[in-house]
Amino acid sequence: MRIVTLNVNGIRSAARKGLFDWLSRQRADVVCLQEVRAQAEDIRAPQFHPRQFHCFYEPAERKGYSGVALFSRREPDEVVRGFGSKEFDAEGRYLEARFGPLSIVSIYLPSGSSSEERQQAKFRFMKEFDARLAAMRAAGEGTDGRQYVLCGDWNIAHKEIDLKNWRGNRKNSGFLPEERAWLDRLFGPLGFVDTFREINQDDGQYTWWSNRGQAWANNVGWRIDYQIATPGLKGAARRATIYREKRFSDHAPLLMDFDLKPGSGRQA
C-alpha cells in the first residue's frame, strides 16, 4: 500500500503547479492533503476529483483557511469527519477513511507561529486529541484490531535531527519543549510509530522550508509532516521518499510504502 501526504498550502495553487498530473503517476492507494483552503463551491471542477480516486474534502467553516482532503482508489467502508472537537472540527483538521479494520487519517494540527493566541489553540488541540489517540491505541488492542495511519502536517519537529537550525528554534513554535514532549509520549509510552524514522535515520530529511531567503535551495528545513502508525503496524513500513524534484507548495510530498493488504489492517 502506498500513501502520499502533502500540505498543499492552497489546493488551487498546487493544482496550477501540476500537483494532479504528478499524483496520477505515483500509483498511490491513498492521498492525504492538508491546508486545502477551499470551500465546496471552489472545488467542484473535475480537476479536483481525479477519476482514479474516490475524493473526500473536509473544509473549514472559515473561507480560505485550513481544511483537509483524502483520496482513495478503493471506496472506503466509512468516512469519519472530525474527531469530536467543537473548536477544531470547525477548522477542518481531521478526515478518516475506514477500509475494513484499517483507518487512514488526513490530519492538520494548528500552527502556533503567528501569535501566542494560536499557540495556545495548538496546545488545546494537543490536549483534546490525546483522548482520540488513546482510543486509537485501545481499538488496536480490542476485538476488531483497528489500526491507524495518521498522515499530515503535525507542525512539530520531534528531535534535533528533524530541523536544520535547531539551536535557534528551541523557543519557537514547532520545536517548543512542550510540543516535543508530547511527541515523546506519543512515540514512547503510547507506542505509536514514526514510520519515516523507522526506516530512515539520515540527516537533512525535511518536508517544509520557509519561503524566506534561500531556505529551499540550501535545504534549511523542518520535518513536520508525518505518517504516524498505531503500535500494531510497527514494522510495516518498507520505503519512504520525500519528493523534491518539483515544488507544489512550501511543503514536500511524503510517500510511504507499507507491507499491508489494503483494507485488512494486517501485514501481508
Side-chain angles (χ1 to χ4, degrees):
M1 173 179 280
R2 173 167 292 180
I3 305 175
V4 176
T5 189
L6 171 65
N7 178 317
V8 294
N9 194 16
I11 196 167
R12 288 164 290 184
S13 172
R16 289 193 296 270
K17 296 172 183 175
L19 172 64
F20 287 97
D21 290 338
W22 177 80
L23 280 176
S24 70
R25 301 190 296 271
Q26 301 315 305
R27 298 180 291 108
D29 295 288
V30 180
V31 176
C32 296
L33 305 177
Q34 303 84 44
E35 202 174 356
V36 297
R37 297 197 301 177
Q39 306 305 116
E41 60 269 22
D42 301 321
I43 49 176
R44 286 176 179 158
Q47 72 178 106
F48 299 114
H49 298 264
R51 287 181 296 175
Q52 67 267 41
F53 292 113
H54 300 274
C55 301
F56 306 92
Y57 287 88
E58 180 68 359
E61 292 179 2
R62 173 181 162 190
K63 289 187 175 182
Y65 179 73
S66 190
V68 292
L70 189 149
F71 304 161
S72 62
R73 288 190 183 272
R74 172 181 164 178
E75 185 175 5
D77 301 318
E78 183 181 0
V79 174
V80 179
R81 300 176 181 276
F83 65 97
S85 168
K86 182 178 180 180
E87 178 178 5
F88 297 108
D89 286 353
E91 295 185 352
R93 297 190 177 275
Y94 184 99
L95 184 60
E96 174 185 343
R98 294 183 172 179
F99 308 91
L102 176 66
S103 282
I104 310 295
V105 177
S106 184
I107 185 170
Y108 180 33
L109 269 70
S111 170
S113 61
S114 64
S115 67
E116 179 59 27
E117 180 183 358
R118 288 310 297 168
Q119 183 61 46
Q120 292 305 313
K122 185 177 185 179
F123 285 144
R124 290 196 300 274
F125 182 102
M126 291 159 57
K127 185 175 181 179
E128 283 194 47
F129 201 57
D130 272 338
R132 188 76 186 99
L133 291 168
M136 289 176 182
R137 173 173 172 159
E141 297 171 346
T143 55
D144 69 345
R146 176 165 300 280
Q147 302 296 335
Y148 290 80
V149 183
L150 297 104
C151 307
D153 179 1
W154 291 63
N155 267 309
I156 305 171
H158 184 209
K159 296 184 177 181
E160 294 169 4
I161 192 176
D162 294 320
L163 71 167
K164 183 70 171 181
N165 292 330
W166 63 267
R167 288 183 178 86
N169 281 291
R170 286 175 290 185
K171 295 183 180 180
N172 292 334
S173 180
F175 201 58
L176 294 173
E178 302 96 318
E179 298 170 334
R180 299 175 63 200
W182 188 68
L183 288 185
D184 284 342
R185 180 172 173 270
L186 181 66
F187 298 136
L190 283 177
F192 283 68
V193 182
D194 180 349
T195 61
F196 181 87
R197 282 299 179 211
E198 194 177 25
I199 57 179
N200 187 319
Q201 297 294 325
D202 296 339
D203 290 327
Q205 303 298 301
Y206 309 128
T207 61
W208 176 82
W209 300 260
S210 170
N211 286 319
R212 298 176 182 175
Q214 297 295 313
W216 170 266
N218 296 327
N219 197 27
V220 180
W222 298 52
R223 189 178 73 94
I224 57 176
D225 300 87
Y226 297 81
Q227 296 195 26
I228 296 175
T230 42
L233 297 182
K234 183 177 177 62
R238 292 292 178 264
R239 184 171 180 267
T241 303
I242 298 172
Y243 177 82
R244 290 199 60 194
E245 293 181 25
K246 187 171 182 180
R247 199 174 189 193
F248 306 112
S249 80
D250 51 353
H251 293 248
L254 171 61
L255 298 83
M256 298 284 305
D257 291 339
F258 294 91
D259 188 9
L260 292 170
K261 294 178 180 177
S264 72
R266 300 176 182 272
Q267 288 182 232

